[in-house]
Amino acid sequence: MVTKKDAETVVKGSITQQGDCQGGPLNGKPGMSRFSKGFLLVDKQAGKAWVYDWTGTAFICRDEPEGRPVDDTKRMTAAESSDWDVIAYAEGGAV
Amino acid sequence: MTSRAYQPMRDFATEWDNAYASAVFSGIVALTGGYHASIQDSVPGSYSVVRVDDAAPPGTWPRDISAAIDMSMSTQDMVKQYWRIWRVFNNPADPRRQFFNAFNGWDGSGDAKRLDFVTGRVGYSDATHKWHNHGEWRRRHVTNPTSYIAARSMLLTDEGIPAYLARIGQAPPPPAPTGTVPGTRTLISIPAPDMMHGDDALFVQKFIGWRCGTPDSWYGNGTADGVRWYQRMRGITDDGMVGPVTWTHLLGRSVSY
């Protein structure tokens, strides 16, 4: 479990949020996002996605364990935004 | 001040996303993200604005576009792509290298790596590059269409240099013909496509030096000009051809054929 002090780390000019994940396929695992709102976890092959909101100390999954259908337009928009990271979920998680 | 994504780069990100089973497009523009930020938005003196290319005068290329793509992938796909790009990075003669500034990714062991295409050095990158690969263009090449052909070739395929050259409409150089041992034939400057080529031409270029231009094994007008200078210095007929007399001077031994 990371501490509040460790939760924001400057990496090459960007802020990286680090903390444990709660819920979804990453429940109990460490998570990371380079942007302020959290990250979108995408399993492209299964066509599923999970939204993890950054609370300041942890990433909270807002979706049911089975996730939501992937919306390709939305995930591309999220990737281009300055609010959300987009992370691949495969083989049990790329995180 | 602003940073925007260049549409062909955005299109290439989609293509990259489609090329690997696990890949999901992860980012392209960030206001404070190194090469993700435009040169306008970058902090003066930061690592992403200090290269010679970055000093190109305004008007040479747009100053408001980002120059990097992030792609999150499974470990398996990241490693596969790392070794694809390593083949290009590790060959200084590979023409695809010229368009890229760096690649951050993971080879599956130890820390994430940073392959610097300008210096040729391998460094380390931060831990986020264990879940996403990062491709960085040299800023002046973001608007160069050939850079996307090169990116496709080295990031998405296993193809080698000849296949890439064919894609951009350049035939690979022919193999050096036999009989190109220095002193075994007369070198004459003939216009393309019949220009003479081989190790003997390279020998002449390297022997005479800068007056022949960049050594490339092709006996063109630049090489012939250097030979004329050499012939005048030696007091022999300055015809720009390397025949038995000039070979004898170059090789320091009698040559006839």
Side-chain angles (χ1 to χ4, degrees):
Chain A
M1 185 72 178
V2 296
T3 65
K4 175 69 175 175
K5 182 182 177 184
D6 296 326
E8 292 189 345
T9 307
V10 176
V11 178
K12 287 190 174 176
S14 64
I15 302 299
T16 299
Q17 327 291 350
Q18 294 178 302
D20 283 355
C21 299
Q22 296 177 21
L26 300 182
N27 186 38
K29 296 181 180 177
M32 188 182 289
S33 173
R34 295 166 296 168
F35 300 103
S36 59
K37 290 191 176 179
F39 64 89
L40 178 65
L41 186 69
V42 178
D43 185 339
K44 194 169 71 173
Q45 291 171 283
K48 293 182 178 178
W50 297 264
V51 177
Y52 282 84
D53 294 299
W54 174 244
T55 64
T57 55
F59 294 99
I60 309 297
C61 184
R62 68 167 79 160
D63 295 302
E64 298 297 322
E66 62 270 20
R68 64 176 70 190
V70 170
D71 182 324
D72 283 333
T73 301
K74 286 185 177 176
R75 75 174 172 91
M76 292 292 184
T77 301
E80 292 204 23
S81 80
S82 297
D83 297 324
W84 297 92
D85 224 328
V86 182
I87 299 175
Y89 181 65
E91 303 165 3
V95 179
Chain B
M1 297 291 184
T2 185
S3 294
R4 65 181 173 91
Y6 184 59
Q7 187 59 46
M9 179 170 275
R10 186 185 274 128
D11 293 341
F12 180 73
T14 301
E15 192 175 346
W16 184 351
D17 183 297
N18 289 329
Y20 291 84
S22 69
V24 292
F25 176 38
S26 188
I28 191 166
V29 174
L31 297 182
T32 57
Y35 280 80
H36 289 291
S38 72
I39 201 161
Q40 284 182 347
D41 284 340
S42 296
V43 178
S46 86
Y47 80 98
S48 69
V49 295
V50 296
R51 294 225 146 132
V52 172
D53 275 6
D54 304 328
T60 305
W61 40 266
R63 318 291 283 183
D64 63 342
I65 54 177
S66 62
I69 296 174
D70 285 342
M71 193 67 56
S72 185
M73 306 163 81
S74 67
T75 299
Q76 183 180 3
D77 282 343
M78 286 189 74
V79 172
K80 179 179 180 180
Q81 187 166 55
Y82 183 91
W83 292 116
R84 276 179 165 170
I85 202 164
W86 176 263
R87 296 173 310 123
V88 177
F89 176 79
N90 201 36
N91 179 2
D94 195 308
R96 293 168 288 190
R97 289 177 52 119
Q98 65 186 297
F99 303 108
F100 297 94
N101 189 65
F103 178 83
N104 295 354
W106 196 34
D107 64 5
S109 64
D111 293 328
K113 305 292 194 303
R114 178 173 174 85
L115 307 180
D116 188 321
F117 280 76
V118 177
T119 65
R121 293 180 187 143
V122 180
Y124 293 98
S125 191
D126 63 77
T128 67
H129 297 104
K130 285 190 173 183
W131 51 261
H132 83 275
N133 280 342
H134 165 95
E136 250 172 42
W137 268 244
R138 295 177 78 160
R139 291 188 184 277
R140 69 166 58 191
H141 285 302
V142 173
T143 55
N144 181 345
T146 306
S147 75
Y148 296 95
I149 300 173
R152 185 176 300 115
S153 175
M154 70 181 194
L155 288 170
L156 311 184
T157 77
D158 291 319
E159 69 185 18
I161 296 172
Y164 163 69
L165 291 175
R167 280 182 188 271
I168 62 172
Q170 292 181 10
T178 56
T180 64
V181 176
T184 61
R185 66 172 179 170
T186 295
L187 292 170
I188 306 170
S189 177
I190 305 170
D194 299 316
M195 188 180 292
M196 298 181 78
H197 170 261
D199 288 341
D200 49 357
L202 183 63
F203 172 85
V204 171
Q205 292 169 332
K206 288 186 173 178
F207 188 98
I208 295 175
W210 64 271
R211 291 177 188 273
C212 287
T214 304
D216 61 0
S217 303
W218 292 95
Y219 198 86
N221 288 335
T223 306
D225 286 345
V227 168
R228 286 191 191 90
W229 171 84
Y230 177 79
Q231 290 168 326
R232 286 193 294 275
M233 296 298 291
R234 285 284 177 159
I236 57 179
T237 304
D238 59 340
D239 57 8
M241 298 189 294
V242 184
V245 174
T246 305
W247 276 126
T248 296
H249 281 267
L250 287 167
L251 298 174
R253 57 179 169 79
S254 178
V255 171
S256 62
Y257 49 80

